[in-house]
């Protein structure tokens, strides 16, 4: 909870490097910490999130607060910043004081919290995600997509490529199907390793995921997950082998049993998923 204290002013906030030095915020690998200190860049990420008017912004892992500052500058009315590393709390409270206590820090593991418990809808998530938990976090949010009105997230480029991949490409897989089934997914721009402190090993990409009004085709999450897991876990095999245990009547479903997983559209996978009991 942010303690209401004497107000500061945005223009008086110290440079992020000074904050990091003052709080001895040496980046911890175990927390996936790669900080962004360039406000032009964090403003570009905040800009990709679109209008922040009338929405609650949930930021995962604010760290020293580079993106938090940019989101406030971009007009965020309220930010709920979920951070696991207690060393960052003072930095975020300082930003909050400069903005009429409109940033609330929540000291928690983002994997353990329910978004609906944090703040009322509409909610958007904006984050430079810790790479070690980026995919599990996204899966958790996709499973609860009704609680989310938009996501602007930084991933490793390789993950971003999987999120936006189309059928018949190498990157097309379970993550492509599950995310595009529920969301319009778009890569915004790449961010070079050198932009981070410390630099990670790979290029990063900002991705927006806008929930569809309806999933692309009817299916349940668990059935679609089962079918895509079986198909892509043996992606080189023909469907008649990789999906053998399901006993699908491929002809009736107008799907070639000799096809491989990467040749199926999301609608094809949903058609298969609807055949599963219960
Ligand atoms: N937003 C900051 C920036 O752009 O400079 C920091 C981004 S850094 C890549 C990821 C942040 O997520 C770190 O501050 C880290 O402590 C935090 N973090 C890591 N795992 C987390 C978790 N499970 N729940 C909440 N925050 C987490």
């Amino acid at each position: 909870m942010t303690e209401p204290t004497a107000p500061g002013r945005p223009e008086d906030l110290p440079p992020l490097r000074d904050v990091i030095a003052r709080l001895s915020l040496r980046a911890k690998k175990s927390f996936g910490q790669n900080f962004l200190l360039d406000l032009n860049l964090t403003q570009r990420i905040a800009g990709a999130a679109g209008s922040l008017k009338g929405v609650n912004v949930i930021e995962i892992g604010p760290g020293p607060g580079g993106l938090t500052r940019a989101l406030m500058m971009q007009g965020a009315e309220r930010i709920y910043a979920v951070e696991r590393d207690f060393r960052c709390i003072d930095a975020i409270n300082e930003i909050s004081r400069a903005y009429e206590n409109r940033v609330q820090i929540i000291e928690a593991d983002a994997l353990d919290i329910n978004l609906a418990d944090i703040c009322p809808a509409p909610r958007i998530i904006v984050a430079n995600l810790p790479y070690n938990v980026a995919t599990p976090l996204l899966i958790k949010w996709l499973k609860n997509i009704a609680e989310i009105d938009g996501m602007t997230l930084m991933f490793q480029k390789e993950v971003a490529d999987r999120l936006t991949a189309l059928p018949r490409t190498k990157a097309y897989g379970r993550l492509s199907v599950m995310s595009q089934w529920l969301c319009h997914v778009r890569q915004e721009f790449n961010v070079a390793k050198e932009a981070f402190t410390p630099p990670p090993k790979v290029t990063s990409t900002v991705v927006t995921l806008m929930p569809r009004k309806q999933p692309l085709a009817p299916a349940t999450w668990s059935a679609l997950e089962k079918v895509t897991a079986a198909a892509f876990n043996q992606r080189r095999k023909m469907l008649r082998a990789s999906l053998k245990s399901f006993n699908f009547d491929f002809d009736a479903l107008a799907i070639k049993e000799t096809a491989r997983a990467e040749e199926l559209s999301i609608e094809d996978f949903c058609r298969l998923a609807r055949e599963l009991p219960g």
Side-chain angles (χ1 to χ4, degrees):
M1 227 358 147
T2 306
E3 291 286 321
T5 39
R9 291 185 312 175
E11 56 272 33
D12 294 338
L13 284 170
L16 285 163
R17 279 191 195 286
D18 294 358
V19 173
I20 289 174
R22 192 181 76 221
L23 300 176
S24 306
L25 264 178
R26 208 170 36 81
K28 280 193 189 170
K29 214 172 169 182
S30 59
F31 283 162
Q33 291 180 336
N34 302 96
F35 301 134
L36 292 173
L37 307 185
D38 175 357
L39 261 181
N40 288 320
L41 177 57
T42 52
Q43 278 179 297
R44 220 175 141 205
I45 300 171
S51 169
L52 304 177
K53 264 212 138 344
V55 294
N56 285 313
V57 178
I58 300 177
E59 187 191 352
I60 305 300
L67 183 54
T68 320
R69 291 185 190 197
L71 288 162
M72 291 314 285
M73 290 164 79
Q74 180 83 11
E77 292 171 14
R78 191 158 283 279
I79 299 179
Y80 297 84
V82 181
E83 177 58 65
R84 221 182 135 178
D85 185 351
F86 68 90
R87 298 177 306 160
C88 303
I89 290 174
D90 279 354
I92 304 308
N93 280 336
E94 188 172 37
I95 299 170
S96 190
R97 284 196 296 278
Y99 287 95
E100 301 119 10
N101 297 309
R102 287 189 279 130
V103 185
Q104 182 175 324
I105 181 120
I106 296 156
E107 196 186 341
D109 184 331
L111 282 166
D112 295 338
I113 51 163
N114 295 318
L115 300 178
D117 294 338
I118 295 185
C119 60
R123 310 173 189 93
I124 64 166
I125 307 175
V126 185
N128 169 17
L129 287 176
Y131 289 150
N132 43 359
V133 288
T135 308
L137 279 172
L138 178 64
I139 302 268
K140 180 180 159 92
W141 297 331
L142 288 173
K143 275 185 182 166
N144 296 285
I145 197 70
E147 297 175 355
I148 300 169
D149 296 272
M151 296 184 259
T152 299
L153 307 171
M154 175 101 78
F155 292 97
Q156 298 181 34
K157 180 161 178 23
E158 178 252 321
V159 176
D161 286 345
R162 282 160 55 201
L163 288 171
T164 54
L166 297 175
R168 296 172 189 277
T169 64
K170 244 169 89 179
Y172 186 63
R174 285 172 74 185
L175 203 54
S176 332
V177 173
M178 301 313 277
S179 53
Q180 294 172 40
W181 174 51
L182 296 173
C183 297
H184 300 279
V185 191
R186 191 172 71 198
Q187 292 196 15
E188 299 290 346
F189 53 89
N190 292 336
V191 180
K193 317 174 222 195
E194 298 74 32
F196 298 84
T197 306
K201 289 203 175 68
V202 291
T203 303
S204 300
T205 304
V206 175
V207 178
T208 50
L209 297 104
M210 295 307 295
R212 297 177 185 275
K213 285 200 180 75
Q214 297 286 334
L216 200 53
T220 63
W221 174 280
S222 69
L224 192 55
E225 203 178 34
K226 274 188 202 133
V227 173
T228 52
F232 284 108
N233 283 350
Q234 303 188 69
R235 61 184 298 145
R236 282 164 200 280
K237 290 204 173 156
M238 293 179 192
L239 297 172
R240 70 174 171 223
S242 59
L243 301 182
K244 190 166 193 274
S245 63
F246 295 100
N247 283 318
F248 288 127
D249 182 345
F250 288 105
D251 282 344
L253 294 165
I255 291 172
K256 277 203 286 182
E257 63 171 16
T258 53
R260 290 174 171 83
E262 68 177 45
E263 295 172 58
L264 296 200
S265 66
I266 297 170
E267 289 88 343
D268 291 334
F269 278 114
C270 289
R271 222 157 52 248
L272 292 169
R274 290 200 295 275
E275 293 297 299
L276 264 53

